[in-house]
Structure formats: structure tokens, C-alpha cells
Amino acid sequence: FDPEALQVDVRLLGTPQGKLIGLATVEYHGFRMDNFKVFNGENGLFLGEPRASQDRQRQAPDTYVRSGYCCI
């Protein structure tokens, strides 16, 4: 594991939706995964599985991102 190669970008929601507080992009050695769900749970913050497949993200409206569109 190379912690120097790990990059995480978290986009907080304007208004939390239950325990969901944001979305994150995780990149490791050039491999990028978008739209992990960020939750504020009883034991602290944790990531949930990504919201949608890459095919569905392309210019699809996204109600969780303030701009209304997914990051690709």
C-alpha cells in the first residue's frame, strides 16, 4: 500500500440527506472511482459503494451534487 498515491476528493452536500453527507472520488495509481457515498455513522465517517456505473454518470443529472451533474 502506497499512501502517497492515494487521493480522495470529498464533495459535501449542501443539506445532508439522513446520514448521507457527501460524495467522494477516490484515485489510486491512476485508477479512479467516482461517487462513493460518504456517511456519518454512529462510529464515525465511512464510505458506501458508488452511486452509479460509469456509463450512467456521463452527463446524467445527479441530485446529490450541487451543480446537478456528475463529475466525470
Side-chain angles (χ1 to χ4, degrees), residues 19-35:
K19 292 184 178 184
L20 180 66
I21 62 169
L23 296 171
T25 297
V26 177
E27 187 171 339
Y28 187 68
H29 286 290
F31 179 74
R32 179 178 168 155
M33 291 286 295
D34 293 321
N35 292 329

Side-chain angles (χ1 to χ4, degrees), residues 4 6 9-10 15 19-20 35 37 42 46 52 54 59:
E4 297 287 323
L6 181 65
D9 177 40
V10 178
T15 303
K19 292 184 178 184
L20 180 66
N35 292 329
K37 295 178 243 175
E42 293 176 14
F46 68 95
Q54 286 292 94
Q59 300 301 317

Side-chain angles (χ1 to χ4, degrees), residues 35 51-52 56-62 65 67-72:
N35 292 329
R51 282 187 31 84
R56 288 187 57 206
Q57 288 181 11
R58 297 191 197 314
Q59 300 301 317
D62 187 334
V65 179
S67 68
Y69 289 92
C70 294
C71 299
I72 56 172

Side-chain angles (χ1 to χ4, degrees), residues 43-56:
N43 297 319
L45 299 177
F46 68 95
L47 292 179
E49 62 186 58
R51 282 187 31 84
S53 70
Q54 286 292 94
D55 292 335
R56 288 187 57 206

